[in-house]
Amino acid sequence: HVTLIYGSPLADGWRAAAAAMGLQLGIPALTGRSRGKVEVIERDWVTEVYKLADGRKLTYQQVAGSFSNPSSAMAEHTLNFLCSCSGAIGAEVAAASGEVPALLELYCGNGNHTVALAPLFQRLLAVEIDRKLTVAAEANLARNGVTNADVICATSGRFCQSLMRRIVALKSGAQGAAASRGRAGN
């Protein structure tokens, strides 16, 4: 995928000329950007494959204009580091509690970390504000056979506030129920 950025508006014949250039140079996907206008030819994403130290081979759709690691080697290194740390922490939690933990991931983007980390947890809930990235994350989960993760399109701040209110309400309800049971038994 190649993105061409212009300082002046795209000419009327830009799309046809860019498509012809793409065919001539063997570039399957092109994007033209000019002062608030975006023209996409074919698609606005690329596919990348990362090989992890644990033997997994993960395939991702990387959306143009969104963050991703600058090189596949850096992306693989980052994913391996996160999996190593998360695996160790998850094993400690499981040993102490007898249960494999769940993970809440905020700002998940297109799911790069979500896909790699999901097998290390019982469940994974990922939150992303950008609908385009949420769609890409869901596609990346499916593409890699991940079935224990869900992606929610929401602001992380509001999601966390809502989650905290629910936790407080559950704890209050549990404490109230315990107190009621105590009074009923007297």
Side-chain angles (χ1 to χ4, degrees):
H1 186 272
V2 173
T3 299
L4 304 169
I5 301 172
Y6 300 90
S8 56
L10 297 176
D12 289 337
W14 181 88
R15 188 173 189 79
M21 179 188 73
L23 284 174
Q24 183 179 8
L25 297 175
I27 302 169
L30 288 164
T31 299
R33 294 182 179 275
S34 173
R35 297 185 185 193
K37 185 173 181 182
V38 178
E39 287 280 342
V40 176
I41 297 174
E42 186 69 29
R43 64 181 188 275
D44 65 347
W45 51 268
V46 297
T47 300
E48 293 184 322
V49 178
Y50 303 136
K51 296 174 187 162
L52 300 188
D54 62 11
R56 288 184 290 158
K57 187 174 162 183
L58 305 177
T59 303
Y60 293 96
Q61 174 183 319
Q62 303 287 7
V63 179
S66 300
F67 175 80
S68 65
N69 277 308
S71 72
S72 59
M74 181 56 68
E76 288 174 354
H77 178 73
T78 301
L79 293 174
N80 282 320
F81 173 77
L82 289 172
C83 288
S84 174
C85 293
S86 297
I89 292 168
E92 284 184 35
V93 170
S97 69
E99 293 183 14
V100 176
L103 177 68
L104 171 62
E105 179 186 8
L106 303 176
Y107 311 102
C108 75
N110 72 340
N112 269 17
H113 301 157
T114 315
V115 170
L117 294 173
L120 306 174
F121 295 91
Q122 180 181 28
R123 295 284 309 154
L124 193 153
L125 179 59
V127 180
E128 173 54 48
I129 191 172
D130 186 328
R131 187 69 178 129
K132 192 174 186 179
L133 291 175
T134 302
V135 170
E138 291 168 343
N140 286 332
L141 290 170
R143 180 178 285 110
N144 289 283
V146 176
T147 58
N148 67 326
D150 293 296
V151 182
I152 295 174
C153 186
T155 66
S156 292
R158 285 192 179 155
F159 176 83
C160 288
Q161 289 172 347
S162 175
L163 180 62
M164 290 305 296
R165 281 193 296 273
R166 289 178 186 159
I167 290 170
V168 168
L170 285 171
K171 285 185 175 186
S172 297
Q175 289 169 351
S180 294
R181 284 192 304 273
R183 284 192 297 271
N186 287 337

